Amino acid sequence: MTEPLSAPQLKRRLGVFDSVMIGLGSMIGAGIFAALAPAAAAAGGALLFGLAVAAVIAYCNANSSARLAALYPHSGGTYVYGRERLGPFFGYLAGWGFLVGKTASCAAMALTVGAYAWPGYEHVIAVVAVAVITAVNYLGVQKSAWATRGIVFFVLAVLALVVLLCLAATDTGFDGPVLTRGHGVTGVLQAAGLLFFAFAGYARIATLGEEVRDPRRTISRAIPLALAVTLLVYLLVAVAVLTVLGPDRLAAATDPLAEAVAAAGFAGAEPVVRVAAVVAALGSLLSLILGVSRTTFAMARDGNLPRVLDAVHPRYSVPHRAELAVGTVVAVLAATADLRGVIGFSSFAVLVYYLIANASAWTLSAQLRPRLVASTGAAGCMILAAFLPPPSVVWGIAVLGIGVAVYWVRAVVSRSRG
């Protein structure tokens, strides 16, 4: 489908480096500070196996997303890919899954900010954080990219400090064989599904398709680079924290990295780690709202969301109405949501999103390797979604079902009018 010449267009400003920074900003904060402890509760000492499973599926998804984004360099990500390769319904379902899943992710990151910044007033601080980040994004994607770059460098430096301090500890709770004693295959798969919540940030790069320079080169390089750096960081931090706390204490921790540093004998570094947690969550929130607003903009441009959201600001060249609408919805969720619940729900919806991405990528080539990667990614998404906590699965099916019902009602009304 070719966009009409009169359709509002976004400016291409981002290169490989800024695109990688946006992807890292989406992933690292969420993975380390929000998903690591519940994943340990699910997998026990087999946490690293869950991380490995999540990484393999994320690689398949990243490969499929990169191939599709190079061919369709437009805002919207898998919403566009599903529409072009599988048909309008699957494009809509992908877009709906992305919007509801990542809106939940935005709320989770805002609540993480509140929990670390001012315990007891999490919801108030979360709403303030959403308002500030929405304003930053409103002023233009280039300003967002620069802010994300600074956040990523700071958080990576603090995470490196955490790893060094934990590995330097002389008296820890580490017991080598404990890393192989987990909660079985079910626990590993549930942990992988929860950790997938943390890996999904590379989609932000694909949803910025209209705002990157030379999309074929930029997107195909930025997605795997962001994923590789994130996996390395996750692996190092997970090993370091497990070494100090062990799986049981890690699973019970609400602030595992800060607790690990203190347990390693470096309590003076704990405030720095807490500040980094807040900054990392803000970085994730910034990139997440950026990506969700672009998908909202793309769906509105196609008539799948209210046309009033299809507008580009004449000065800042951003989809300002979509950004304000997304910010408002996230603020409402941040005022009422439960942190662990929205992580599971988000994982379910985003796994459906990537299932459609892999199915779309499967149609691109008849060659064995690309189809094997896409098939592995699709199967992995279905398995991880099925093994998430039951409430997450039930709510995920219900909300996606609402989206499907709205789509078919609109289709019936449209046909009756035609």
Side-chain angles (χ1 to χ4, degrees):
M1 179 183 294
T2 303
E3 301 295 345
L5 293 177
S6 60
Q9 301 295 316
L10 304 176
K11 291 186 179 179
R12 299 190 183 276
R13 297 174 172 175
L14 304 177
V16 173
F17 186 75
D18 282 335
S19 298
V20 170
M21 289 298 105
I22 288 174
L24 291 178
S26 300
M27 290 185 278
I28 289 177
I32 297 302
F33 298 106
L36 197 57
L47 169 64
L48 297 182
F49 292 107
L51 180 62
V53 172
V56 169
I57 296 172
Y59 168 78
C60 294
N61 296 344
N63 184 280
S64 294
S65 296
R67 292 171 61 219
L68 289 160
L71 186 61
Y72 302 104
H74 309 295
S75 285
T78 302
Y79 164 67
V80 174
Y81 315 149
R83 181 192 66 196
E84 297 295 328
R85 306 304 305 184
L86 304 176
F89 170 73
F90 290 100
Y92 171 87
L93 183 60
W96 180 253
F98 181 88
L99 287 181
V100 298
K102 287 306 174 181
T103 298
S105 295
C106 292
M109 290 301 94
L111 287 167
T112 301
V113 172
Y116 278 91
W118 197 354
Y121 295 88
E122 294 91 348
H123 293 287
V124 174
I125 299 301
V127 172
V128 173
V130 172
V132 171
I133 293 300
T134 300
V136 170
N137 280 332
Y138 190 97
L139 294 177
V141 69
Q142 191 61 39
K143 293 181 178 64
S144 298
W146 276 100
T148 301
R149 182 184 299 181
I151 290 169
V152 169
F153 281 137
F154 171 66
V155 173
L156 285 175
V158 173
L159 292 177
L161 177 65
V162 170
V163 172
L164 291 174
L165 294 180
C166 288
L167 296 182
T170 57
D171 184 17
T172 72
F174 175 65
D175 177 14
V178 80
L179 296 181
T180 63
R181 296 200 304 270
H183 299 162
V185 174
T186 299
V188 169
L189 292 176
Q190 187 172 118
L194 293 168
L195 288 168
F196 185 84
F197 166 83
F199 278 108
Y202 51 79
R204 302 297 75 69
I205 301 170
T207 59
L208 297 174
E210 286 187 39
E211 295 167 271
V212 297
R213 300 187 299 268
D214 190 5
R216 287 182 179 273
R217 173 182 176 274
T218 299
I219 294 173
S220 63
R221 293 187 179 187
I223 288 177
L225 277 173
L227 178 62
V229 172
T230 300
L231 174 59
L232 178 61
V233 172
Y234 284 12
L235 181 62
L236 290 174
V237 173
V239 169
V241 174
L242 278 170
T243 298
V244 173
L245 298 181
D248 293 337
R249 190 173 174 185
L250 172 59
T254 56
D255 50 356
L257 271 65
E259 188 171 326
V261 168
F266 300 97
E270 186 176 346
V272 177
V273 176
R274 292 187 181 279
V275 170
V278 172
V279 173
L282 285 171
S284 292
L285 180 61
L286 186 151
S287 294
L288 285 165
I289 290 181
L290 192 67
V292 174
S293 65
R294 269 53 182 181
T295 298
T296 301
F297 170 76
M299 293 182 72
R301 185 163 57 186
D302 291 341
N304 286 316
L305 287 176
R307 290 280 188 181
V308 69
L309 301 176
D310 174 19
V312 176
H313 196 283
R315 177 179 178 184
Y316 300 121
S317 299
V318 298
H320 59 297
R321 292 178 184 171
E323 288 187 341
L324 291 175
V326 170
T328 300
V329 173
V330 173
V332 172
L333 286 176
T336 58
D338 171 73
L339 178 58
R340 294 205 174 196
V342 293
I343 289 177
F345 171 81
S346 174
S347 294
F348 183 90
V350 175
L351 283 164
V352 172
Y353 173 88
Y354 281 110
L355 170 61
I356 296 173
N358 282 296
S360 301
W362 193 88
T363 69
L364 292 178
S365 172
Q367 296 180 356
L368 178 59
R369 184 186 178 280
R371 285 198 164 183
L372 180 61
V373 170
S375 298
T376 302
C381 288
M382 289 189 288
I383 292 170
L384 294 192
F387 279 92
L388 283 168
S392 300
V393 176
V394 171
W395 277 106
I397 292 174
V399 174
L400 289 178
I402 291 172
V404 171
V406 169
Y407 178 87
W408 289 115
V409 168
R410 289 180 63 252
V412 170
V413 171
S414 179
R415 282 197 297 267
S416 65
R417 290 177 177 177

